[in-house]
Amino acid sequence: MKTAHMWRLGMKDMQILPMSRHRSHLKKPTWIIILVSLVIVFLICAYVYPPQNSTACYVFSSHGCKALSNWLPPAPVRELTDDEIASRVVIRDILSMHPSLSENSKLAFLFLTPGALPFEKLWDKFFQGHEGRFSVYVHASKQKPVHFSRYFVNREIRSDKVVWGKISMVNAERRLLSNALKDPDNQHFVLLSDSCIPLRDFDYVYNYLMYANTSFIDSFEDPGPHGSGRYSEHMLPEVEKKDFRKGAQWFTMKRQHAVIIMADSLYYMKFRDYCKPGMEYGRNCYSDEHYLPTFFHMFDPAGIANWSVTHVDWSEGKWHPKSYRKQDVTYELMRNITSITESLHVTSEEVKEIQIRPCLRNGNQRPCYLFARKFLPETLDNLMLIFPNYTSS
């Protein structure tokens, strides 16, 4: 009996012990499953809501966001709207056309001015002897100017009011381009203000622009408050923040690019409606600084130079560039400007980034600037005396 009792006791122990071992064994895979699930959720969140700063990037990878984006699957391709498809077809077909230069090819000079042109006499000197190689168009937004040069007489187009920083500035540019495009011989278009002056003689400017394989449109990325900080998500889906660019207003462009601007309505309306002073949260956005730089970055980045051939001095760090007075206009100043061979962009970040690039034309480094602003009217006499002797072609 004692033996039977011991056997039954041993059987009870045998029944208890395996159950105890089985329960402790189950705890390990449960924790593994929970850990793996957390990692998967973490990666899904990183994919759907990617980190926006470099510190967060390095949490994921020692190589930063680039390594993470390479490891994760590509984002699904967004389906384009009907308007986007139509716009891209038109842009593609225009860009596929080969420009044809002829003996009658002309530069179109587009003057955006409130009224009188204080440097008309200087431009008259610049144009003399080159009749048939240029056209002049004047958009006077406040009052019709009185002209002193025969090259400017009856060259005004139908103008409208222009307000600094508003879409009316872009409207005036488009109005000038549309009038200049009516002449099929106009092959390159130069936007100038009333404070602009030529830095080189006509032949140099003509050859520099007419035989360039790019349009001289300024475009660069500024992640600061006065760059990407002006972007509005209302521009989605057509304009994404990663494509938002900034640049100087003063451009020169090939005929192909001028035609594309005239054909565009979709992207123009995005900037008209959502890039303007007094947007939400008190932000200010200026279409003349963002529309063309963003548009060409999106559709023909290789076709633009990413700098403007019109020199402006922002060294004073103000909202407006440095204005040149009579005492400033010397041979030394003009030679310094015409000898610059690198373009400079300064971002609006707290820690400002300075971007310096060589000015390349047709693959070769060249002087950057053909024109300059802002010269006050009092500088005219000094400029008439030294132009174009302060530089050699």
Side-chain angles (χ1 to χ4, degrees):
M1 291 295 291
K2 186 176 181 181
T3 303
H5 176 72
M6 291 297 292
W7 181 83
R8 284 195 297 271
L9 181 62
M11 287 297 292
K12 289 177 182 178
D13 293 340
M14 291 294 289
Q15 289 173 357
I16 294 169
L17 289 174
M19 290 297 292
S20 176
R21 285 196 298 269
H22 182 65
R23 282 197 299 270
S24 64
H25 181 69
L26 281 175
K27 290 180 180 179
K28 291 182 180 178
T30 302
W31 282 108
I32 291 172
I33 291 169
I34 293 172
L35 182 61
V36 170
S37 299
L38 288 173
V39 171
I40 291 172
V41 170
F42 186 67
L43 290 174
I44 290 172
C45 289
Y47 177 65
V48 177
Y49 305 103
Q52 300 298 317
N53 58 65
S54 58
T55 303
C57 290
Y58 281 89
V59 172
F60 298 104
S61 168
S62 61
H63 299 291
C65 285
K66 185 176 180 181
L68 178 63
S69 62
N70 291 337
W71 183 83
L72 290 170
V77 177
R78 178 177 65 84
E79 185 176 357
L80 300 180
T81 65
D82 291 342
D83 288 340
E84 284 181 287
I85 293 172
S87 293
R88 293 183 183 218
V89 167
V90 171
I91 292 169
R92 182 200 63 197
D93 284 357
I94 294 173
L95 289 176
S96 67
M97 299 177 184
H98 295 289
S100 57
L101 298 180
S102 68
E103 293 181 358
N104 298 322
S105 295
K106 295 187 292 186
L107 294 177
F109 291 85
L110 319 177
F111 289 88
L112 185 57
T113 176
L117 288 163
F119 297 106
E120 192 169 304
K121 290 183 179 179
L122 181 63
W123 286 106
D124 182 272
K125 187 176 181 180
F126 173 79
F127 290 134
Q128 281 179 18
H130 302 286
E131 292 77 3
R133 302 174 69 197
F134 67 90
S135 302
V136 171
Y137 302 86
V138 179
H139 185 292
S141 61
K142 291 185 179 179
Q143 59 185 16
K144 183 176 180 177
V146 176
H147 297 295
F148 302 96
S149 167
R150 61 192 175 99
Y151 301 122
F152 289 83
V153 174
N154 298 324
R155 300 308 301 168
E156 294 92 356
I157 65 168
R158 186 194 68 79
S159 303
D160 206 348
K161 183 179 179 181
V162 174
V163 179
W164 180 83
K166 293 193 175 182
I167 195 65
S168 57
M169 189 77 77
V170 176
N171 294 342
E173 295 172 7
R174 288 163 61 97
R175 199 173 291 121
L176 281 162
L177 285 172
S178 62
N179 279 272
L181 280 167
K182 291 191 290 186
D183 185 343
D185 288 333
N186 288 333
Q187 293 296 318
H188 205 104
F189 304 81
V190 182
L191 181 68
L192 299 160
S193 77
D194 56 312
S195 69
C196 284
I197 64 163
L199 294 174
R200 306 275 182 170
D201 63 42
F202 183 89
D203 283 328
Y204 188 99
V205 171
Y206 185 92
N207 292 327
Y208 193 108
L209 296 179
M210 196 64 74
Y211 300 106
N213 56 7
T214 57
S215 291
F216 294 93
I217 297 171
D218 194 23
S219 178
F220 69 101
E221 185 176 11
D222 179 358
H226 304 310
S228 297
R230 295 172 174 175
Y231 173 81
S232 170
E233 290 187 352
H234 291 297
M235 291 187 177
L236 291 171
E238 293 87 356
V239 181
E240 299 181 52
K241 188 172 184 179
K242 66 180 179 63
D243 294 320
F244 196 71
R245 292 294 184 272
K246 183 179 180 180
Q249 174 186 6
W250 310 102
F251 62 75
T252 80
M253 66 173 62
K254 301 183 297 182
R255 188 175 183 92
Q256 281 177 312
H257 286 159
V259 172
I260 290 173
I261 292 302
M262 291 299 97
D264 174 52
S265 60
L266 175 62
Y267 299 93
Y268 161 78
M269 287 191 293
K270 285 290 181 177
F271 282 86
R272 181 195 66 186
D273 296 339
Y274 304 117
C275 181
K276 53 189 176 181
M279 293 196 307
E280 67 272 18
Y281 313 118
R283 291 181 298 167
N284 291 320
C285 185
Y286 307 109
S287 294
D288 56 281
E289 293 183 6
H290 297 285
Y291 168 52
L292 292 184
T294 302
F295 183 85
F296 284 104
H297 168 75
M298 291 174 62
F299 294 109
D300 193 18
I304 61 174
N306 294 320
W307 91 86
S308 169
V309 290
T310 299
H311 176 265
V312 183
D313 184 352
W314 290 98
S315 62
E316 293 181 339
K318 300 179 181 178
W319 279 102
H320 295 283
K322 173 182 172 65
S323 294
Y324 294 102
R325 307 191 67 88
K326 184 175 183 178
Q327 61 268 25
D328 298 323
V329 178
T330 62
Y331 283 97
E332 183 179 7
L333 170 70
M334 309 311 287
R335 284 175 179 152
N336 286 342
I337 295 175
T338 56
S339 65
I340 297 172
T341 58
E342 293 179 325
S343 64
L344 183 145
H345 292 133
V346 181
T347 67
S348 59
E349 298 170 285
E350 185 175 347
V351 179
K352 297 183 184 298
E353 178 187 350
I354 300 177
Q355 304 170 6
I356 302 176
R357 299 188 183 101
C359 295
L360 299 175
R361 186 177 69 86
N362 297 343
N364 298 313
Q365 190 161 353
R366 291 287 188 274
C368 295
Y369 301 116
L370 305 178
F371 314 101
R373 63 186 300 268
K374 299 178 63 171
F375 284 77
L376 297 178
E378 66 189 54
T379 62
L380 177 61
D381 289 341
N382 282 9
L383 291 167
M384 290 291 291
L385 286 174
I386 63 176
F387 177 81
N389 298 324
Y390 47 73
T391 181
S392 59
S393 298

